[in-house]
Amino acid sequence: MSDARSVHTHLHDYERHLAQLDRLRAILEEELAGARGPRAARIEAALDRMDRGLYGACGRCGAFIPYERLLRTFDRPTCDACAAGPDAEHDRRPVAPRAGTAPAPGGASRGHPGRPGAEAA
């Protein structure tokens, strides 16, 4: 019984994670529509990280960036400690980004397959 509950718990966590990513993708795409210059480039880079499965992990140390932080600064590529500077203390063990994650089939696409607005970059 505990194995079934564990699978159910993991499935629920995964579904919640996908919903959070959908919400963050929608925010990024909405912001990109009105962005210009360096801000547009930062948002494009965040969408690219999302397509490659690296979004939400610090680009410097690999630590996860909390969902609440991503909601406030959704195009941020680093955790709070790395953003503070090279001598800042990390309060959590770094987690390596997923290695070998391939872009979406058919190239680097935005959005989910079949979702309106899913166009090539």
Side-chain angles (χ1 to χ4, degrees), residues 75-87:
D75 59 345
R76 185 175 200 172
T78 58
C79 66
D80 288 342
C82 287
D87 297 329

Side-chain angles (χ1 to χ4, degrees), residues 27-45:
I27 291 169
L28 286 164
E29 289 174 348
E30 183 178 313
E31 290 292 319
L32 181 60
R36 302 285 181 267
R39 180 162 167 68
R42 286 192 314 271
I43 295 170
E44 281 284 343

Side-chain angles (χ1 to χ4, degrees), residues 20-110:
Q20 290 173 338
L21 284 176
D22 280 344
R23 181 171 182 202
L24 288 164
R25 181 178 293 280
I27 291 169
L28 286 164
E29 289 174 348
E30 183 178 313
E31 290 292 319
L32 181 60
R36 302 285 181 267
R39 180 162 167 68
R42 286 192 314 271
I43 295 170
E44 281 284 343
L47 286 165
D48 182 59
R49 287 191 307 277
M50 191 175 279
D51 290 343
R52 293 184 292 130
L54 301 173
Y55 183 78
C58 177
R60 183 172 285 161
C61 72
F64 287 119
I65 302 170
Y67 177 68
E68 293 75 22
R69 167 60 74 193
L70 290 170
L71 282 174
R72 290 191 305 269
T73 53
F74 41 82
D75 59 345
R76 185 175 200 172
T78 58
C79 66
D80 288 342
C82 287
D87 297 329
E89 293 287 325
H90 279 79
D91 61 350
R92 66 176 82 207
R93 188 178 68 149
V95 178
R98 292 186 339 205
T101 304
S109 64
R110 301 284 178 243

